[in-house]
């Protein structure tokens, strides 16, 4: 059995940002030598997400606006009694989900033609990370 | 270590449709001979979902109406500048999530009594697929 | 290859409740002797969720209110024709998602500093369970 574990670090310029990490995840899988298995890509923060969708700039803007409509910034969340102001980012993380599992087949990510893996930052401008863990044979 | 990888194809008659794939996934697991492990069921398209819930027709209708309330068809999504008209289907895919992992215990899907695995088509009437990947021993 | 499978039982006092299961999941992983791998934590019911987020009481209240705003209790869901009254709990389960996968690295849960694993009960006051399945080496 083979394993590979790497951490991707991010420090976005904007509070919310969407970063395509597909190539990084593919590189980790290729370096692992795993031919068959699965790779988990999981945010290590509670105000960020990881999702699979399209690398088209319009849909990325739609995702951003939609997440902010369903889980709006600003309202007086109970969480803000702690001095934080990022209650919305916690809810956006739940909405988008914080992780995906990608199958590895024949040594490669087994994704559909338009599927790309994205890191979704909902409370950025600080150092944050994603764990990528591959396992298989 | 054992692996099994199969692709399920769909071509729905309606734009949105919900298809119970539990038996297909169980068949793949049984054929693999895996006694202990996990099976990933993951849509390979960015306008479809895979979820676990009830096989009751009323709740399926509720899920459909709810997804369309939270991520409505029609509004002028930025994504539509590309000529597409399926922005809502991308957001519904994120809302419902595009994959589930089912534990395999004693050679069978380890699901609760009412849990069924569904493929959720949000932009149908074309050929689309789901990857089913089991791994274990 | 090593496996560990355990079931956590819950019977909440209130209809909706959020229970931190991180220590239980860590105990199962430690007992398994698995050093590298993944652990799946998955609700076995269609009216419950499992998520990773903060153990702060304000945000837990925010999550509860938000889930009830996006998938409100009460409306006359089609599912209620069966005699049930928990249509909202099915939708909340889909919104929050019913499972997470946690990487195991060096024999421990590989979580970020604020990440805690929660069982989210959306239709409680009855016996329900979660499957915890670890696999690795």
């Amino acid at each position: 059995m083979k394993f590979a574990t790497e951490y991707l670090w991010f420090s976005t310029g904007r509070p919310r940002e969407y970063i395509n990490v597909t190539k990084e995840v593919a590189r980790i899988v290729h370096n692992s030598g795993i031919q068959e298995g699965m790779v988990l890509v999981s945010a290590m923060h509670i105000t960020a997400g990881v999702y699979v969708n399209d690398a088209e700039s319009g849909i990325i803007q739609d995702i951003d606006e939609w997440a902010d409509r369903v889980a709006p910034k600003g309202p007086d969340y109970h969480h803000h009694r702690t001095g934080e102001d990022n209650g919305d980012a916690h809810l956006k993380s739940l909405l988008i989900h914080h992780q995906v599992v990608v199958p590895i087949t024949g040594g490669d990510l087994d994704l559909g033609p338009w599927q790309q893996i994205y890191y979704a930052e909902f409370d950025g401008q600080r150092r944050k990370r994603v764990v990528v863990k591959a396992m298989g044979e």
Side-chain angles (χ1 to χ4, degrees), chain A:
Chain A
M1 221 173 156
K2 285 177 175 166
F3 298 92
T5 310
E6 289 197 29
Y7 304 89
L8 307 178
W9 288 89
F10 305 92
S11 187
T12 63
R14 281 166 291 157
R16 296 211 301 269
E17 213 167 306
Y18 305 86
I19 298 165
N20 191 334
V21 297
T22 317
K23 278 183 191 161
E24 284 293 285
V25 176
R27 178 189 56 76
I28 293 166
V29 167
H30 296 156
N31 288 349
S32 75
I34 294 170
Q35 293 299 303
E36 293 294 316
M38 295 181 195
V39 57
L40 173 69
V41 186
S42 191
M44 301 188 77
H45 299 263
I46 53 194
T47 53
V50 172
Y51 69 84
V52 164
N53 214 282
D54 201 344
E56 192 274 310
S57 64
I59 199 70
I60 293 172
Q61 204 178 335
D62 290 324
I63 291 169
D64 183 68
E65 293 174 7
W66 175 70
D68 204 49
R69 217 156 41 232
V70 178
K73 187 157 182 65
D76 203 18
Y77 292 110
H78 300 291
H79 184 50
H80 296 178
R81 292 181 307 217
T82 62
E84 296 279 357
D85 68 348
N86 61 1
D88 70 296
H90 290 259
L91 302 179
K92 287 178 173 89
S93 163
L94 293 172
L95 175 64
I96 295 291
H97 207 51
H98 75 290
Q99 60 182 193
V100 299
V101 177
V102 180
I104 303 168
T105 305
D108 254 318
L109 301 181
D110 198 351
L111 291 167
W114 301 100
Q115 289 188 306
Q116 298 284 301
I117 311 166
Y118 271 83
Y119 172 68
E121 178 61 81
F122 297 125
D123 184 29
Q125 302 174 309
R126 56 179 92 177
R127 265 167 70 76
K128 294 170 80 166
R129 62 184 180 148
V130 159
V131 54
V132 181
K133 181 141 207 149
M135 68 187 259
E137 207 166 64

